[in-house]
Amino acid sequence: GGGKGHEVFVGGLPKSADENALWSFFGQYGSVQKVQVKYDESGNPRGFCFVEFRDRESCDSLLAASQAGTTMLEGKWVNVQGADGGGKGKGGD
């Protein structure tokens, strides 16, 4: 119990992409638990979000796709990074 989800940070989001678009985009890589878009004071998206997957494999495939340059959302490459500061320790399940 108490295991937190597998979260990634995603930057460079196109301003036109709404949350529905993000859910379906990230859904290609695995089972999405949560998409948390960050907004400024005026309610405009700030161009980044946090995505939480059910499993590690989904995170890894999204990260790999981003590094390969294939994470194209509405014609724009989005930059995916591990949200936990990128410690390369091997986490057991």
Side-chain angles (χ1 to χ4, degrees):
K4 90 181 190 73
H6 302 285
E7 197 176 54
V8 291
F9 168 86
V10 185
L13 296 175
K15 292 278 194 277
S16 54
D18 61 13
E19 294 200 30
N20 286 340
L22 297 175
W23 275 92
S24 54
F25 176 72
F26 296 119
Q28 300 173 83
Y29 298 94
S31 186
V32 180
Q33 300 241 77
K34 188 166 73 176
V35 176
Q36 192 178 12
V37 181
K38 298 298 184 181
Y39 297 93
D40 64 19
E41 303 78 50
S42 318
N44 301 309
R46 294 173 60 187
F48 67 93
C49 70
F50 291 93
V51 182
E52 196 177 298
F53 287 102
R54 282 185 208 282
D55 54 69
R56 183 90 227 157
E57 290 74 25
S58 304
C59 274
D60 289 345
S61 64
L62 178 57
L63 286 162
S66 176
Q67 285 162 8
T70 61
T71 46
M72 301 298 293
L73 177 57
E74 300 186 6
K76 194 171 191 289
W77 178 74
V78 296
N79 179 20
V80 184
Q81 297 165 13
D84 46 0
K88 283 197 163 55
K90 288 188 172 59
D93 255 335

